Amino acid sequence: MKALTPTTQPTQLTMSSREIATLTNKRHDNVKQDISHMLTKLKRDILRFQDIYFDNNNRKQIEYRLDRLNTDILLSGYSIELREIIIKRWYELEETNRIKVPQTLPEALRLAAEKEEERLRLETVILEAKPKLETYDAIMNLNKTYNLQDTAKIIGFSKQRDFFTALKSKYLLMNNAPSQLSIKQGLMTEIVHRFGRQARITAKGLEFFTKRSHTVLRHKMTKEKQQELISNELTPLL
């Protein structure tokens, strides 16, 4: 991957939080918050992962640099603690496989038996963790929501206000709170805080508004999105 950068140790590679934000289409400050939360939960020394870069205005800004293990943990959709156990173990198996080379037939047979035992043990660990992982994943997916600005960007609107205008005809109130219809249909939910009510788009709502917008409001999309939609229509089904 082109943005992987060697650290002081020649064989160690890191990925910056800015690149992660670019790859996941997330805001950099949100990615940094996710990384900070992860490192705190794993009892890592956060300062050890911090680095400095200069933004477009030549101001010093903080970013994080993660190695392969911590990047995998961050990007996984499961519980951080449980995924760390499994991922670490896979790293151990890969390292053992590279270093331990049998020289004789008995050594090869013994190594094969050990690897089979380890495989069975790992399968047991994964099976035992699976109910917890599935429960966690279901909760995370259930609670996954998007603000209106991010939703407009994901769908491909060239101007965010066009998305807001389309919603306010039926799904969004004048104070940007969700209508009862959008809540009842599971398209939106809301967060109530001291500044008022905030609409959040659910995963179901994102799918619904994406399909509707790409059909009815295609002319409101960015040029890149319009070209992508045209290309998809012209691509023959295999």
Side-chain angles (χ1 to χ4, degrees), residues 76-93:
S76 66
Y78 299 128
S79 162
I80 292 174
E81 297 90 344
L82 294 174
R83 287 294 297 172
E84 182 188 26
I85 294 173
I86 298 173
I87 293 173
K88 272 187 172 181
R89 189 53 194 159
W90 274 116
Y91 273 68
E92 292 173 5
L93 291 175

Side-chain angles (χ1 to χ4, degrees), residues 95-104 107-108 111:
E95 187 66 22
T96 301
N97 188 55
R98 285 194 296 267
I99 296 175
K100 194 172 182 180
V101 179
Q103 302 297 320
T104 64
E107 288 182 357
L111 178 60

Side-chain angles (χ1 to χ4, degrees), residues 69-213:
L69 172 61
N70 287 295
T71 302
D72 286 347
I73 295 172
L74 175 71
L75 298 182
S76 66
Y78 299 128
S79 162
I80 292 174
E81 297 90 344
L82 294 174
R83 287 294 297 172
E84 182 188 26
I85 294 173
I86 298 173
I87 293 173
K88 272 187 172 181
R89 189 53 194 159
W90 274 116
Y91 273 68
E92 292 173 5
L93 291 175
E94 291 172 355
E95 187 66 22
T96 301
N97 188 55
R98 285 194 296 267
I99 296 175
K100 194 172 182 180
V101 179
Q103 302 297 320
T104 64
L105 179 58
E107 288 182 357
L109 294 175
R110 186 161 51 250
L111 178 60
E114 291 174 356
K115 292 185 69 174
E116 179 63 16
E117 290 178 359
E118 201 58 50
R119 184 186 67 81
L120 294 174
R121 191 193 70 81
L122 183 60
E123 284 185 355
T124 301
V125 171
I126 295 174
L127 287 174
E128 290 176 352
K130 186 177 181 180
K132 296 179 182 179
L133 295 175
E134 289 178 343
T135 300
Y136 182 89
D137 196 38
I139 293 174
M140 291 299 291
N141 288 335
L142 180 63
N143 293 331
K144 179 68 173 179
T145 59
Y146 308 83
N147 62 38
L148 299 179
Q149 292 82 359
D150 287 344
T151 304
K153 182 178 179 181
I154 293 171
I155 293 175
F157 278 91
S158 59
K159 297 178 181 179
Q160 292 182 357
R161 66 171 178 266
D162 290 332
F163 180 52
F164 292 4
T165 301
L167 290 178
K168 284 183 178 179
S169 62
K170 190 174 182 180
Y171 303 101
L172 198 65
L173 303 180
M174 294 303 298
N175 61 351
N176 286 338
S179 68
Q180 289 300 313
L181 175 65
S182 63
I183 294 177
K184 185 177 181 180
Q185 292 182 347
L187 305 177
M188 293 187 191
T189 184
E190 69 175 345
I191 297 176
V192 181
H193 48 71
R194 60 177 180 172
F195 300 108
R197 299 162 62 192
Q198 179 187 14
R200 302 285 297 185
I201 307 294
T202 64
K204 179 181 178 180
L206 178 61
E207 180 181 5
F208 174 81
F209 292 123
T210 298
K211 291 180 179 179
R212 183 179 179 85
S213 300

